[in-house]
Amino acid sequence: MIDELEALAASAEQRLMAATDLDGVAALDAELLGKKSQLSAAKKKLGTLEPEERKAAGRAVNEIRQAIEAGISAARQRLSAAARQIQYDAERLDLSERLGEIRRGSLHLNTQARDRLEDVFVSMGYTIAEGPEVETAWYNFEALNIPEWHPARGSFDTIFVDLGEPEEVMLRSHTSPVQIRTMENTEPPIYIVAPGRTFRTDTADATHLPAFNQIEGLVVDRGITLGDLAGTIEEFVHAFFGGEVKTRLRPSYFPFTEPSAEFDISRPDGSWLELGGCGVVHPNVLANCGIDPEEWQGFAFGFGIDRLAVMRYELDDIRELVNNDVRFLRQF
Ligand code: PHE
């Protein structure tokens, strides 16, 4: 019996070493150690043996069981490590192929223009303010001295949002609502600029985008006059474009400023480009925000950042800014 068991142990060891997958090992496990295995049969037979023989045979059965168990667990370990390696090899990504293609990105033209504008105004002592892109009629119109019946509402080509009362919620059609939000919760003196996205029902063409960017400026202090406004615009244009560019103010009308003006900058060919609107803050607007117009005065301006980028980088078409043509964007 001991000879038989030793032969079994030798053949088990060989078969386990030859196993090529985990299923094979599981089958061997059942065959070698299960209820119907030669080993189990030998164990049952122990009771029929003479005491002397039984002792030796019993020890052999136990030793061989342990040896087979160790062989099975070694085979499992070997094959699962191998299986893992095969899986790794199959799933490996060869990233070396892309090494030749690394390119640096750059900031979008609009972002560059906005950053420069912010730098210019921050160096003049302004801070940056922000407001939401979805506004209510109060902030976009009413507090800015544009009541519901006012014809100026129509000129803003507003995109309304289907929420609440009709024409009550909208995508802001200018950054001027940030004036109101700032004055509502800041004590004068106030010196802020507010860059941000604005929206109108315009169809995109060479000089218009339905979603565009404006920068609003607001100053509220004592004894502010139109002269301060003109000087500030000139100062900023020189800082942004350099010495050769001239500015001019033309009388205009906005319900939230009085007097109001549009301001232009000179092109290299001597013609003028309209950049934005400005004026002395209307007393009603100050009062709407709880600021006493007898004590405080202010000026405000608002102009298009996209237009400024078009001018500064000499683009032919404002739509280039949103076409996302990487060949175009890479030039800047
Ligand atoms: N909000 C005005 C517009 O979009 C511009 C403006 C801003 C005019 C501030 C005067 C003062 O047309």
Side-chain angles (χ1 to χ4, degrees):
M1 179 166 164
I2 292 184
D3 289 348
E4 268 172 40
L5 287 174
E6 272 168 2
L8 169 69
S11 98
E13 192 187 335
Q14 258 178 16
R15 292 173 68 193
L16 281 168
M17 276 187 344
T20 54
D21 58 41
L22 290 167
D23 288 345
V25 178
L28 281 173
D29 188 350
E31 181 189 327
L32 296 168
L33 301 176
K35 279 198 190 104
K36 292 181 183 151
S37 63
Q38 204 179 330
L39 209 57
S40 296
K43 198 173 171 188
K44 277 181 205 136
K45 251 170 77 185
L46 289 178
T48 66
L49 299 178
E50 292 303 313
E52 267 312 288
E53 212 182 338
R54 192 194 304 162
K55 217 172 173 186
R59 195 181 309 123
V61 166
N62 280 339
E63 279 172 9
I64 284 162
R65 172 170 281 274
Q66 277 166 20
I68 292 177
E69 277 170 0
I72 286 172
S73 99
R76 285 215 164 99
Q77 224 163 49
R78 167 173 63 83
L79 288 172
S80 59
R84 217 175 300 133
Q85 190 58 48
I86 288 167
Q87 190 188 350
Y88 287 162
D89 288 345
E91 291 178 358
R92 174 192 271 133
L93 295 176
D94 183 0
L95 300 174
S96 60
E97 272 171 41
R98 305 207 62 84
L99 279 177
E101 263 271 17
I102 288 178
R103 269 177 199 276
R104 281 192 106 181
S106 59
L107 294 176
H108 189 275
L109 281 186
N110 263 336
T111 311
Q112 292 184 35
R114 195 198 60 209
D115 285 353
R116 260 186 74 88
L117 283 167
E118 288 183 0
D119 286 350
V120 167
F121 282 107
V122 166
S123 75
M124 289 163 78
Y126 288 66
T127 55
I128 312 292
E130 267 185 334
E133 291 177 356
V134 180
E135 272 295 9
T136 59
W138 168 258
Y139 288 104
N140 201 70
F141 292 129
E142 252 125 80
L144 287 162
N145 205 30
I146 318 174
E148 207 174 334
W149 48 264
H150 202 290
R153 278 212 187 187
S155 69
F156 280 99
D157 302 318
T158 307
I159 299 172
F160 292 99
V161 175
D162 191 4
L163 204 76
E165 296 289 303
E167 309 206 343
E168 179 55 35
V169 181
M170 63 210 68
L171 302 185
R172 65 179 176 193
S173 48
H174 50 176
T175 42
S176 299
V178 187
Q179 288 187 36
I180 305 302
R181 290 184 176 274
T182 305
M183 286 189 278
E184 269 182 353
N185 51 38
T186 321
E187 294 287 318
I190 294 170
Y191 289 79
I192 58 111
V193 285
R197 291 210 296 172
T198 44
F199 308 85
R200 293 188 195 177
T201 54
D202 287 336
T203 305
D205 64 24
T207 53
H208 295 85
L209 292 173
F212 54 107
N213 295 274
Q214 285 193 332
I215 185 165
E216 192 81 11
L218 173 70
V219 167
V220 180
D221 207 337
R222 292 192 172 89
I224 294 289
T225 68
L226 198 63
D228 298 307
L229 169 60
T232 302
I233 287 176
E234 196 165 290
E235 184 69 32
F236 132 72
V237 168
H238 286 171
F240 193 80
F241 287 102
E244 310 86 64
V245 177
K246 294 192 197 50
T247 60
R248 76 172 182 192
L249 297 183
R250 272 181 298 115
S252 184
Y253 172 76
F254 297 100
F256 34 96
T257 45
E258 179 59 37
S260 300
E262 254 149 334
F263 62 97
D264 302 338
I265 57 175
S266 65
R267 289 204 185 89
D269 67 1
S271 66
W272 294 94
L273 176 78
E274 183 192 319
L275 209 58
C278 59
V280 173
V281 178
H282 197 290
N284 289 355
V285 175
L286 294 170
N288 283 339
C289 303
I291 293 176
D292 180 2
E294 299 291 328
E295 187 183 352
W296 302 97
Q297 297 74 44
F299 66 75
F301 56 83
F303 55 86
I305 298 180
D306 315 71
R307 287 220 173 143
L308 210 81
V310 164
M311 168 88 180
R312 196 179 143 80
Y313 300 104
E314 295 174 26
L315 312 184
D316 299 328
D317 192 320
I318 201 167
R319 286 170 294 190
E320 294 285 16
L321 292 172
V322 291
N323 284 344
N324 277 339
D325 183 336
V326 183
R327 290 164 303 178
F328 165 79
L329 292 171
R330 258 191 204 132
Q331 300 173 82
F332 302 96

